[in-house]
Amino acid sequence: MSQQDYTPVLVLGGGLAGLTVALRLADSGVHVGLLAKRSLGDGSSYHAQGGIAAVLGEDDSIESHIEDTVSAGAGLCHRAAVETAINRGPECVDWLINQQVPFTRKDSGDGFHLTQEGGHTHRRVIHATDATGQAVMQTLEEKARCHPNIRLFEQHIAVDIITSAKLRHAGPNRSLGIYALDKTSGKVITVTAQTVVLATGGASKVYLYTSNPDTSTGDGTAMAWRAGCRIANMEFVQFHPTCLYHPQAKSFLISEAVRGEGGQLRLPGGQRFMPDHDSRAELAPRDIVARAIDYEMKRGGYDCIYLDISHKPADFIRSHFPNISKRCAKYGFDMTTEPLPVVPAAHYTCGGVVTDLNGHTDVTGLYAIGECAFTGLHGANRLASNSLLECLVFATAASEQIQHDLVEKEFGERRVPAWDESQVTDPDEQIVVTHNWDELRRAMWDYVGIVRTDKRLQRAMHRVKLLQEEIRDYYSNFKINNNLIELRNLVAVAELIIGSALSRRESRGLHYTLDYPDTESDDNAADTIMVPTNFSNDRVGVGASLVGTGAQ
Ligand SMILES: Cc1cc2nc3c(=O)[nH]c(=O)nc-3n(C[C@H](O)[C@H](O)[C@H](O)COP(=O)(O)OP(=O)(O)OC[C@H]3O[C@@H](n4cnc5c(N)ncnc54)[C@H](O)[C@@H]3O)c2cc1C
């Protein structure tokens, strides 16, 4: 891409959401530019293990999938979003099958094998063995790489959305394009586009421990916030109970099936603790197990706890968990003879950029799809395997709406200023950035984790405000790089999560606070909507401020 460029549609992100919208549009003859901040496959989609939930079995029904989703969502699912996702699920899975994704077939060879996961009352998860994301992504990536209507720009990280409000143009706030850092040349390029689609994934990297890859830094959510979009329900962060605790295995999950097959959770001294927390012990639901582990780690000041299945025969363990046992051995742990050190880890961001059912945000010409979006599908807790479904369905709906917009609306010649580097110099020392990355993630883990209190949240907010000042200062004075861009986004997302958590005066779904342990009646259930102010002053992206907040 040259220093200034134009494309009708610009997609930010090459995960399942981004590739789906890009391929759907490109197949209809639309020219699409697709940016990915690392290589194309680098994102959560590639790591998805379980599969995609959709009504595919003969004994299953749309009503049943809707009921399971709404029941997991603890009173906050938006009925229209749930119905859209579930009604369109089978058609979207068919599209993947037509793209030749190698889903696992039944032993009989007749149709596809479906698994049943926690919270689902039927078998409805289509999968490709235990590496669904890899199979889907490899198939779509190959198509995107050779599609004549798609221009791929890997190693380009979007910095900010250029909007008419930031440029003080009259009329409604409109997206005009983006600034992006070409990581190879170190130059910031300007791309104008009639439509910009955020498909940048979740924000779980804001926590010290996460199952997510390094790409999940909430960039789309932060950029949309600075562009003037509302952000909803950021307090609902899903934690996976057991991620291997090892510096090199930062995003390796130990499947819940290990507990299902008899694995026991123990303190560093060897005592089992789950029976004290729930009568179902290790088989309690995911959020209860994560909360119990968090409680014990905080109470004892432990860095990790242990998952032990070594009482089972070695052959049983190896045959049931071939991949996990191999991966653990790679990091020096023999799960057939010793307990595995584990910690809960931030896994999924339920909140995000508020959109309608076509992925459109509050800013004209700006869409958000996939994990960075808030459609209302998940409510206060995500049902397993509904997130890949959300990526597929809302990327498809967005592609249809975008085609309609491109035909209907004239974009015209838009002039935007180039990125201004005249006032900044090369960074004097990187330690400020690396130190603040660590401090932020540690503060979020310690004070805004699985079990919250107002005091901890206020403490975290205080730290985040100080970090924000420092990062803002650094951002205004020095040339940008990948780590600084991500840190600036992470600190914005941290503020949104804490602000949302502070404004919810109850425990609901994934948000649990000792100060308000009860759940209000579902009749009073409301989303937490953050409304940005000051975003029109933000040409080089100093940051929108969090003024208008509160459950609505
Ligand atoms: C270990 C693991 C297992 C999971 N298993 C399942 C499962 O079985 N079923 C299920 O439904 N869900 C599962 N999930 C959740 C699911 O994988 C994600 O919610 C989904 O893949 C998100 O897709 P996405 O396209 O929105 O984002 P991602 O796949 O994360 O892609 C984001 C893309 O955006 C790019 N990007 C980000 N910021 C920028 C920027 N500033 N500029 C340019 N590019 C940018 C990234 O490089 C990447 O290409 C799992 C998640 C994890 C981590």
Side-chain angles (χ1 to χ4, degrees):
M1 218 173 244
S2 60
Q3 294 269 112
Q4 294 254 359
D5 213 324
Y6 168 77
T7 176
V9 179
L10 183 63
V11 177
L12 308 183
L16 181 59
L19 284 182
T20 302
V21 77
L23 283 166
R24 295 269 200 179
L25 285 166
D27 283 346
S28 314
V30 177
H31 290 272
V32 180
L34 194 156
L35 244 73
K37 65 179 173 181
R38 295 185 172 216
S39 57
L40 201 51
D42 219 336
S44 287
S45 300
Y46 187 89
H47 297 270
Q49 297 167 346
I52 306 166
V55 177
L56 304 166
E58 275 164 23
D59 63 334
D60 197 2
S61 70
I62 296 285
E63 293 69 36
S64 161
H65 192 179
I66 290 177
E67 211 172 285
D68 293 346
T69 302
V70 169
S71 152
L76 281 184
C77 289
H78 293 200
R79 190 81 194 183
V82 175
E83 285 175 2
T84 302
I86 290 166
N87 278 318
R88 296 200 70 177
E91 150 208 342
C92 288
V93 168
D94 271 351
W95 178 77
L96 283 181
I97 294 168
N98 289 334
Q99 305 297 309
Q100 314 291 328
V101 174
F103 288 118
T104 301
R105 293 195 159 268
K106 284 183 189 158
D107 285 344
S108 62
D110 178 23
F112 295 99
H113 182 262
L114 303 174
T115 55
Q116 185 168 347
E117 291 187 340
H120 290 275
T121 50
H122 288 82
R123 284 186 173 267
R124 61 169 71 105
V125 178
I126 188 163
H127 62 104
T129 64
D130 60 352
T132 308
Q134 186 178 336
V136 171
M137 289 298 291
Q138 278 172 349
T139 309
L140 298 188
E141 201 181 311
E142 218 176 286
K143 305 246 173 217
R145 284 196 186 282
C146 58
H147 203 297
N149 291 342
I150 298 180
R151 285 196 296 164
L152 289 178
F153 303 96
E154 293 169 272
Q155 308 299 335
H156 280 69
I157 177 167
V159 181
D160 255 321
I161 298 159
I162 307 167
T163 63
S164 56
K166 289 181 194 174
L167 299 183
R168 302 194 181 285
H169 291 175
N173 191 13
R174 193 193 200 298
S175 150
L176 302 171
I178 62 148
Y179 296 117
L181 175 71
D182 174 348
K183 292 171 30 171
T184 314
S185 70
K187 299 264 182 270
V188 176
I189 59 165
T190 309
V191 189
T192 56
Q194 182 162 345
T195 303
V196 174
V197 185
L198 299 168
T200 50
S204 291
K205 271 294 269 192
V206 77
Y207 287 96
L208 186 61
Y209 301 115
T210 174
S211 64
N212 282 208
D214 289 343
T215 49
S216 300
T217 50
D219 297 5
T221 307
M223 285 190 281
W225 174 245
R226 291 191 293 264
C229 296
R230 287 169 302 150
I231 308 291
N233 283 5
M234 290 300 285
E235 68 273 38
F236 298 115
V237 177
Q238 190 168 61
F239 288 84
H240 194 285
T242 52
C243 210
L244 190 66
Y245 180 65
H246 184 278
Q248 264 88 54
K250 51 189 175 179
S251 53
F252 185 58
L253 286 187
I254 306 293
S255 158
E256 285 171 272
V258 174
R259 280 182 283 121
E261 294 299 339
Q264 296 177 344
L265 290 163
R266 297 182 185 281
L267 298 177
Q271 309 94 300
R272 205 174 154 208
F273 58 88
M274 271 316 297
D276 300 336
H277 290 267
D278 194 283
S279 57
R280 291 160 289 186
E282 280 81 0
L283 299 180
R286 185 187 272 195
D287 44 329
I288 292 177
V289 177
R291 213 175 287 154
I293 296 174
D294 182 76
Y295 172 84
E296 295 295 344
M297 282 176 64
K298 285 210 169 69
R299 195 177 60 89
Y302 307 126
D303 287 336
C304 65
I305 50 94
Y306 292 84
L307 177 57
D308 189 7
I309 195 168
S310 63
H311 49 279
K312 292 273 181 183
D315 283 352
F316 172 89
I317 296 172
R318 285 198 203 96
S319 66
H320 276 73
F321 307 109
N323 293 326
I324 296 177
S325 56
K326 260 189 224 134
R327 280 290 291 274
C328 288
K330 192 176 141 203
Y331 299 117
F333 302 111
D334 180 355
M335 69 188 285
T336 65
T337 60
E338 62 185 337
L340 298 172
V342 291
V343 284
H347 188 53
Y348 186 80
T349 314
C350 289
V353 186
V354 176
T355 69
D356 65 15
L357 296 178
N358 296 316
H360 197 257
T361 70
D362 294 335
V363 173
T364 308
L366 183 64
Y367 287 75
I369 50 173
E371 195 171 332
C372 71
F374 169 82
T375 61
L377 169 65
H378 305 301
N381 196 353
R382 175 190 70 123
L383 183 65
S385 290
N386 264 359
S387 36
L388 293 178
L389 172 73
E390 186 184 41
C391 288
L392 280 171
V393 169
F394 291 98
T396 303
S399 72
E400 292 158 359
Q401 183 63 40
I402 291 166
Q403 283 177 67
H404 179 263
D405 286 358
L406 288 175
V407 174
E408 293 287 306
K409 291 177 191 145
E410 271 299 303
F411 184 63
E413 174 85 3
R414 299 281 176 155
R415 297 177 66 80
V416 300
W419 183 254
D420 181 6
E421 282 200 329
S422 60
Q423 308 294 318
V424 295
T425 57
D426 284 319
D428 50 359
E429 36 187 24
Q430 288 296 335
I431 189 68
V432 178
V433 174
T434 44
H435 174 88
N436 286 348
W437 254 87
D438 293 344
E439 191 179 333
L440 176 68
R441 298 179 69 215
R442 166 69 71 183
M444 288 297 287
W445 182 257
D446 287 343
Y447 302 138
V448 197
I450 299 164
V451 177
R452 296 159 180 177
T453 64
D454 276 356
K455 204 166 151 195
R456 286 183 198 159
L457 292 173
Q458 277 150 3
R459 201 166 270 165
M461 189 61 112
H462 178 67
R463 297 280 202 290
V464 162
K465 295 273 185 203
L466 293 175
L467 286 170
Q468 232 165 15
E469 274 306 305
E470 220 169 275
I471 294 162
R472 188 172 296 166
D473 196 48
Y474 199 86
Y475 185 80
S476 311
N477 289 309
F478 298 111
K479 284 189 181 159
I480 53 172
N481 58 35
N482 185 85
N483 283 355
L484 178 58
I485 295 166
E486 291 183 340
L487 176 63
R488 172 171 170 256
N489 292 331
L490 283 173
V491 82
V493 165
E495 190 191 11
L496 287 163
I497 295 174
I498 302 166
S500 304
L502 275 168
S503 70
R504 184 166 292 283
R505 298 183 168 254
E506 62 166 347
S507 291
R508 179 180 294 275
L510 298 165
H511 173 69
Y512 183 76
T513 162
L514 295 175
D515 291 321
Y516 310 97
D518 298 330
T519 305
E520 295 281 314
S521 136
D522 279 359
D523 296 341
N524 299 329
D527 295 324
T528 310
I529 313 270
M530 296 295 183
V531 184
T533 57
N534 295 340
F535 54 87
S536 57
N537 293 329
D538 183 30
R539 199 184 81 66
V540 288
V542 174
S545 49
L546 189 76
V547 179
T549 66
Q552 286 187 356

